[in-house]
Amino acid sequence: MTSYLCAIGTATPPHRIPQPQIATFMAEGLQLDADDTRKLRALYRVTGIAQRHSVLADYGRANGDFDFFPNTPDLEPFPTVGQRMGAYRQYALPLSVEAVQNCLQQLPEVQLADITHLITVSCTGMYAPGLDIELVEKLGLSSSIRRTCVNFMGCYAAFNALKLAQAFCLADPKAKVLLVCTELCTIHFQKNKEEDHLVSNALFGDGSAAALVQAQPTQSGYSLSLEAFHCELEPDGRADMAWHINDFGFEMTLSSYVPRMIQKGIRQLTEGLLRKLPVKLQDIHAFAIHPGGRKILETIEQELGMSKHDNRFAYQVLRDYGNMSSATVLFVLRELLASLTPAEAGAPVLSFAFGPGLTLEAMLLQVHLA
């Protein structure tokens, strides 16, 4: 028995801001001198990101017109955790609802009343009663729906949600599992000039992705069967990718050593996954890799003998949205699903995501054509 990823819907906030414009906001907010501003702009240019979306309009405005950040030269008093969580509560629900509606409109045979399980995923905001209960109320889901929250796991958390969804479907063939990954990364801008913080501020955007997993494939079109999962830890990278709650928001540590840690572990991760399966790496030509950053994608290509064309969906999502933490890999899988042709029925798909720990997650899927 297996389960099927049958549809993926996505949503982004209305504020789509070009990367150079965000660089201007950051340079002014950090009060950088001319030389450091030039270096910051160079960093933003090499990210491979053209634009990002934010629930905050301020990143595209001039100081004096801000709604969220103070209209002072140094952005003081800097927003507190409470203010940032207030923004999360304001914006997370409507963005999540839009992603769910985008997902379910692809499956006319599935009604809201049919959904048996709801999994919400986020590492950028928490409250209770939370997003899960608000989604039940807003969408009109059953009050007895089985709810699970996957919180604060970072960029790889969608894999854990998919593992849960698969377990629910294997336990109950009638299960229909809705999972919703919503991340508002940009509400956590940190006013810090250390390199790790400059890199984090250059990469992350806001977005939501919803997916429907069930024990049967879709009645028409394509779905992806969840064939296998494998996880590895690289404890040497604990300090290189981390996520902490501090006085002025959630603070991301993203070291330049992360690609080196992934280089060290990616082949072992891949071999650990495929060892269980009648599939070899050379048989795989479809990939859905979490674009944690351009250097991470290039490192994986070098280690696994992939081309940039093989990795095109990850680069496309990175360019158009940046890194949206847990939602990002579902954006990549959606692009892959949209590109499929009948000739690819039965083809294996290899997917990766990475996060604090350092955690490396791998998943093998297979294309199914109804």
Side-chain angles (χ1 to χ4, degrees):
M1 289 180 63
T2 188
S3 55
Y4 296 84
L5 178 57
C6 293
I8 301 172
T10 60
T12 52
H15 308 298
R16 185 178 64 184
I17 307 166
Q19 188 79 326
Q21 198 168 354
I22 303 174
T24 297
F25 171 93
M26 295 294 177
E28 293 177 354
L30 294 168
Q31 297 185 297
L32 300 181
D33 60 25
D35 188 50
D36 285 339
T37 296
R38 178 183 58 79
K39 292 177 182 176
L40 186 74
R41 291 189 181 281
L43 169 65
Y44 276 57
R45 283 196 298 271
V46 300
T47 58
I49 298 170
Q51 61 196 19
R52 287 179 279 163
H53 294 74
S54 177
V55 295
L56 304 178
D58 292 3
Y59 292 106
R61 293 176 173 175
N63 196 314
D65 295 323
F66 294 161
D67 289 330
F68 182 75
F69 294 103
N71 288 287
T72 57
D74 59 357
L75 303 183
E76 295 292 345
F78 206 46
T80 63
V81 172
Q83 289 172 300
R84 296 171 197 254
M85 290 301 93
Y88 184 90
R89 289 199 64 174
Q90 178 180 354
Y91 297 115
L93 178 63
L95 196 64
S96 302
V97 168
E98 184 180 349
V100 171
Q101 292 171 338
N102 183 250
C103 173
L104 295 183
Q105 71 183 13
Q106 302 168 44
L107 297 169
E109 69 271 22
V110 177
Q111 305 300 311
L112 287 167
D114 299 330
I115 296 171
T116 59
H117 298 71
L118 173 65
I119 304 171
T120 55
V121 182
S122 189
C123 69
T124 51
M126 289 177 284
Y127 56 97
L131 181 61
D132 56 330
I133 291 177
E134 290 186 346
L135 279 169
V136 170
E137 294 171 344
K138 185 70 174 179
L139 294 170
L141 299 171
S142 169
S143 61
S144 61
I145 194 170
R146 300 175 189 179
R147 296 177 285 111
T148 306
C149 301
V150 178
N151 290 330
F152 217 68
M153 299 193 80
C155 296
Y156 65 89
F159 277 58
N160 285 301
L162 288 168
K163 291 175 190 178
L164 282 169
Q166 183 182 52
F168 294 149
C169 290
L170 294 182
D172 178 3
K174 295 181 180 180
K176 294 188 184 299
V177 185
L178 178 65
L179 62 93
V180 184
C181 298
T182 299
E183 304 288 10
L184 307 187
C185 304
T186 68
I187 66 175
H188 295 294
F189 160 54
Q190 295 297 305
K191 198 177 60 172
N192 191 311
K193 298 180 184 179
E194 293 181 6
E195 181 182 3
D196 292 353
H197 291 278
L198 296 178
V199 171
S200 297
N201 291 337
L203 293 177
F204 287 92
D206 299 347
S208 180
L212 194 285
V213 178
Q214 58 186 21
Q216 303 83 29
T218 53
Q219 296 178 7
S220 61
Y222 298 95
S223 51
L224 296 171
S225 60
L226 305 176
E227 297 294 322
F229 295 89
H230 186 71
C231 176
E232 294 282 355
L233 290 174
E234 285 289 338
D236 291 345
R238 284 177 67 106
D240 295 299
M241 188 182 292
W243 192 223
H244 299 285
I245 300 176
N246 287 320
D247 293 340
F248 296 97
F250 297 1
E251 188 172 309
M252 165 62 76
T253 299
L254 188 60
S255 164
S256 59
Y257 291 104
V258 169
R260 191 180 304 174
M261 293 292 104
I262 291 175
Q263 181 181 33
K264 179 181 175 183
I266 193 67
R267 182 162 289 278
Q268 178 181 343
L269 177 72
T270 306
E271 291 172 353
L273 174 72
L274 299 183
R275 190 181 299 126
K276 313 170 185 177
L277 304 165
V279 178
K280 298 184 183 300
L281 181 59
Q282 57 264 33
D283 299 327
I284 301 173
H285 304 286
F287 298 86
I289 298 176
H290 168 70
R294 182 180 58 84
K295 287 186 178 180
I296 289 175
L297 296 179
E298 292 173 348
T299 296
I300 295 170
E301 290 162 11
Q302 292 165 7
E303 287 300 301
L304 300 187
M306 295 169 55
S307 69
K308 287 192 179 298
H309 180 75
D310 292 333
N311 221 1
R312 62 194 180 278
F313 304 117
Y315 282 111
Q316 182 177 334
V317 169
L318 182 66
R319 180 195 68 209
D320 293 342
Y321 306 101
N323 182 345
M324 299 167 287
S325 193
S326 68
T328 320
V329 73
L330 292 177
F331 273 67
V332 177
L333 282 164
R334 175 172 170 140
E335 295 297 331
L336 184 147
L337 271 169
S339 77
L340 292 173
T341 65
E344 292 167 288
V349 177
L350 182 58
S351 184
F352 299 120
F354 319 97
L358 179 73
T359 303
L360 300 93
E361 289 277 359
M363 171 174 61
L364 190 81
L365 311 98
Q366 188 175 55
V367 178
H368 182 91
L369 175 60

